[in-house]
Amino acid sequence: LKSPYHGGHLEVIVGPMFSGKSEELIRRVTRALIARQRVAVFKPAIDDRYHATQVASHAGRSIEAVAVRGAVDIRAHLAGEGPLLSSPEAELPEVVGIDEAQFFGSDLGPLVLDLAEAGVRVILAGLDLDFRAEPFGCIPDLLARAESVEKLTAICTVCGAPATRSQRLIGGQPARFDDPVVLVGAQEAYEARCRVHHEVRR
Ligand code: ADP
C-alpha cells in the first residue's frame, strides 16, 4: 500500500471521457483509506459554491469529495484559511486527490508542487485533450512534472478500438473547432472515439 516514492510526489491519470479516470482515482483513494491514511479529494464546483459532494464514476462508484471554485479554495481548505505550509505542524492529509483537473487554472500547478514538496501524495485525474484533441489547459505542464503518468483509453463508440479522444456532438453533429466550450441551451453529447473516428469540423 506504500507508494514506491520516498515522500511526496505527483501521480497523474489522463485519458478521454469514459476511460475510467474517476474509477482509477476512486480505486487509489479507497486503498489509501483502507490503509487508514488521511485523504482529501477535491473537484471543481459547477456552481459558485464551495460544498461537500462526491466524485462518481460513470459505472456508479463514488467517494466523498469537496467541490471548490479553484486552487485557492483547496489551499484554504487544507490550511484553514492561513497560507498553506506556513506552519510545519499543520496537519496536511497524506493523500490529496483531484478529479477533473483540466478545469482548474494555471494556479493548480504551484499548489500541487507545494503539496508534493511538503510530503503529500497528490493524485490528479483529468482530460489530457479537449474535444478538438488539443492539449487541455494546465494538464500538459503537470504531465511533464509528474513522477507517475497513467494514460487510459476508452472504447471507440464507432469501431470498438481503444479510444484516446473525446468526440463532442452538438445536435448530433461533430462540434466545430471554434465552438465555445460552453454552449448555453445546446443539445450536447460526448462520445469516446479513436483517432480515425474522431471528427472536428473546421
Ligand atoms: P472517466 O472519469 O474517464 O470519464 P469513468 O471512471 O467515469 O471515466 O467511467 C468509466 C466507465 O464508463 C467504464 O468502466 C464503463 O463502465 C463506462 N463506459 C461507458 N461508455 C464507455 C466507453 N465508450 N468506453 C469505455 N467505458 C465506457
Side-chain angles (χ1 to χ4, degrees):
L1 291 172
K2 279 255 178 269
S3 75
Y5 303 98
H6 183 75
H9 66 273
L10 173 61
E11 301 171 22
V12 179
I13 304 161
V14 291
M17 290 179 74
F18 303 104
S19 62
K21 301 181 299 297
S22 300
E23 266 173 15
E24 181 59 20
L25 175 65
I26 292 168
R27 190 183 76 85
R28 294 186 195 185
V29 162
T30 301
R31 288 169 59 90
L33 290 170
I34 290 169
R36 297 197 187 81
Q37 294 176 341
R38 290 185 313 273
V39 175
V41 180
F42 300 93
K43 68 177 215 181
I46 299 160
D47 47 29
D48 220 25
R49 290 171 311 132
Y50 165 54
H51 60 280
T53 182
Q54 279 105 42
V55 164
S57 77
H58 286 106
R61 284 191 74 197
S62 67
I63 48 170
E64 300 303 312
V66 180
V68 292
R69 292 156 301 186
V72 172
D73 274 1
I74 298 180
R75 273 188 201 271
H77 185 87
L78 293 176
E81 300 308 319
L84 179 64
L85 319 180
S86 57
S87 77
E89 304 92 85
E91 261 210 284
L92 282 170
E94 289 154 291
V95 179
V96 168
I98 303 177
D99 200 16
E100 304 282 10
Q102 75 279 357
F103 290 134
F104 286 87
S106 55
D107 53 350
L108 184 66
L111 167 70
V112 304
L113 296 178
D114 282 355
L115 289 172
E117 285 294 320
V120 177
R121 173 186 179 198
V122 182
I123 312 171
L124 292 186
L127 293 168
D128 45 357
L129 301 174
D130 66 15
F131 72 89
R132 310 169 176 113
E134 298 290 335
F136 210 137
C138 60
I139 300 294
D141 183 72
L142 293 164
L143 283 171
R145 295 179 193 276
E147 272 83 356
S148 138
V149 171
E150 182 150 23
K151 277 218 178 201
L152 300 174
T153 57
I155 299 298
C156 175
T157 54
V158 177
C159 71
T164 52
R165 298 171 171 207
S166 306
Q167 176 69 50
R168 184 184 190 196
L169 299 166
I170 298 174
Q173 292 298 309
R176 292 182 181 281
F177 191 88
D178 324 306
D179 277 334
V181 175
V182 179
L183 260 184
V184 179
Q187 273 289 349
E188 270 201 89
Y190 287 88
E191 289 182 0
R193 297 279 180 96
C194 67
R195 184 185 284 273
V196 173
H197 292 116
H198 180 256
E199 222 183 309
V200 183
R201 289 194 294 155
R202 299 273 167 175

